[in-house]
Amino acid sequence: GEHSFTEIHKAIIKDSSNGIIAKDSSTVIVHNLNLKNTNKCLHAYRGKPQYNGARIVYDKKKVFCNGNPIMFDNNSIITSSL
């Protein structure tokens, strides 16, 4: 939902259109992620104009996008500061 906070410690996502998505003033922290057969790895965006963008923070040593794109809009941010 909007304005939410989620922390993911370990996830495997396969055969999916999307990996991790954050939107509408939400924050997602990703510690360990492995993607297989997905179209997007990480995606942060503002969907509704009454909210701010989203934020994803991930551990670049333990998040494996396997060539899938990391995407964000001008209102959102994705950082690898863990």
Side-chain angles (χ1 to χ4, degrees), residues 33-70:
L33 174 66
N34 195 337
L35 296 175
K36 297 175 183 176
N37 196 26
T38 61
N39 294 327
K40 296 176 191 169
C41 181
L42 305 173
H43 188 190
Y45 68 99
R46 181 175 75 177
K48 298 176 184 174
Q50 64 266 37
Y51 296 103
N52 294 319
R55 181 174 180 227
I56 298 176
V57 180
Y58 72 100
D59 184 340
K60 67 181 176 180
K61 294 179 182 178
K62 295 182 181 176
V63 171
F64 303 101
C65 292
N66 296 318
N68 298 301
I70 294 174

Side-chain angles (χ1 to χ4, degrees), residues 1-28:
E2 296 89 355
H3 290 284
S4 63
F5 174 84
T6 303
E7 189 166 1
I8 299 168
H9 290 276
K10 185 173 183 179
I12 297 171
I13 300 173
K14 56 184 173 178
D15 302 324
S16 176
S17 296
N18 301 299
I20 303 297
I21 296 179
K23 70 175 195 165
D24 295 336
S25 301
S26 295
T27 298
V28 178

Side-chain angles (χ1 to χ4, degrees), residues 22 26 44-45 53-57 71-79:
S26 295
Y45 68 99
R55 181 174 180 227
I56 298 176
V57 180
M71 304 169 64
F72 57 95
D73 65 13
N74 292 332
N75 302 297
S76 303
I77 187 166
I78 297 179
T79 58

